Amino acid sequence: METELERIAVKARCEPKLRFTSLAHHITRDRVQRNLSRISNHSAVGVDGQTAEAAKESFGGWIEPMLQSIHRQGYRAPAVRRVYIPKPGKTEKRPLGVPTVSDRALQRSTAEVLSAIYEQDFLPCSFGGRPKLSAHHALSTLNEAIAGGRTSWVLEADLKNFFGSLSHAWMLQFVEHRVGDPRLISLIRRWLKAGVLEGRGCSPE
């Protein structure tokens, strides 16, 4: 993590009730370009049909208008293309949203900034959706816990349609406990309100 985000992390760790009121300037041209470069050229396209390769080639043309729209709270989040992927061991399929490539790079950049804050609040036993952690790490930790002591039972729970039924209003209220920058709140709200278009024959990669 670079120095500027390290400073945010230290402050978040030392002041767990602090609201950060100036964060949008950390979503920079370089950060978005770095996250864009990490998107495979074979990645699925969004509703605009633009490939990752094309987005990278035209980066200079769309990045500044994008950043300016964020700072004036006028960013228009593109609709998400919805496709369905198989659920392992089940006949039903799981819906998956595919953002446009440029929006995906912006989402990842925003997540990096927010992670500097929220990583300080996670417990060591939390694994879901965290950078450099996966289900494999969770299973490894579980194996160590079982091997290291007496374990009578293991509970597995699955919340059906969690993201589809999550209250956006409550989620934003939760975010605002730590994020007081209206530009980021506006950006997140626009992502939550973005439309959904059913898939057009392209599967995600």
Side-chain angles (χ1 to χ4, degrees), residues 8-24:
I8 292 177
V10 170
K11 201 166 186 65
R13 186 164 54 249
C14 295
E15 302 180 57
K17 294 187 178 181
L18 176 67
R19 292 182 77 226
F20 290 81
T21 58
S22 182
L23 293 169

Side-chain angles (χ1 to χ4, degrees), residues 29 50 54-67:
R29 178 190 179 101
Q50 186 180 50
K56 293 170 185 177
E57 291 176 355
S58 62
F59 176 77
W62 57 260
I63 183 58
E64 292 305 329
M66 172 186 277
L67 295 178

Side-chain angles (χ1 to χ4, degrees), residues 82-88 90 92-97 158:
R82 178 179 287 161
V83 296
Y84 295 86
I85 59 175
K87 281 188 174 183
K90 297 183 179 180
E92 60 181 310
K93 293 187 176 182
R94 183 192 306 276
L96 179 69
D158 185 18

Side-chain angles (χ1 to χ4, degrees), residues 124-128 130-144:
C125 59
S126 299
F127 294 91
R130 298 177 64 188
K132 300 181 181 179
L133 292 177
S134 68
H136 296 293
H137 295 96
L139 288 173
S140 176
T141 301
L142 179 62
N143 287 333
E144 291 177 9

Side-chain angles (χ1 to χ4, degrees), residues 32-147:
V32 176
Q33 187 170 35
R34 185 166 60 251
N35 279 291
L36 177 64
S37 69
R38 294 170 180 164
I39 298 175
S40 168
N41 284 345
H42 301 292
S43 181
V45 301
V47 295
D48 60 356
Q50 186 180 50
T51 64
E53 187 174 9
K56 293 170 185 177
E57 291 176 355
S58 62
F59 176 77
W62 57 260
I63 183 58
E64 292 305 329
M66 172 186 277
L67 295 178
Q68 290 170 11
S69 68
I70 293 170
H71 287 285
R72 65 171 185 269
Q73 300 181 43
Y75 179 71
R76 294 187 177 183
V80 174
R81 184 169 67 87
R82 178 179 287 161
V83 296
Y84 295 86
I85 59 175
K87 281 188 174 183
K90 297 183 179 180
T91 56
E92 60 181 310
K93 293 187 176 182
R94 183 192 306 276
L96 179 69
V98 182
T100 64
V101 175
S102 57
D103 193 55
R104 207 177 311 166
L106 177 60
Q107 288 183 19
R108 294 182 181 185
S109 300
T110 305
E112 281 184 353
V113 176
L114 294 178
S115 290
I117 300 171
Y118 290 108
E119 272 295 305
Q120 316 314 312
D121 297 333
F122 281 115
L123 298 175
C125 59
S126 299
F127 294 91
R130 298 177 64 188
K132 300 181 181 179
L133 292 177
S134 68
H136 296 293
H137 295 96
L139 288 173
S140 176
T141 301
L142 179 62
N143 287 333
E144 291 177 9
I146 292 174

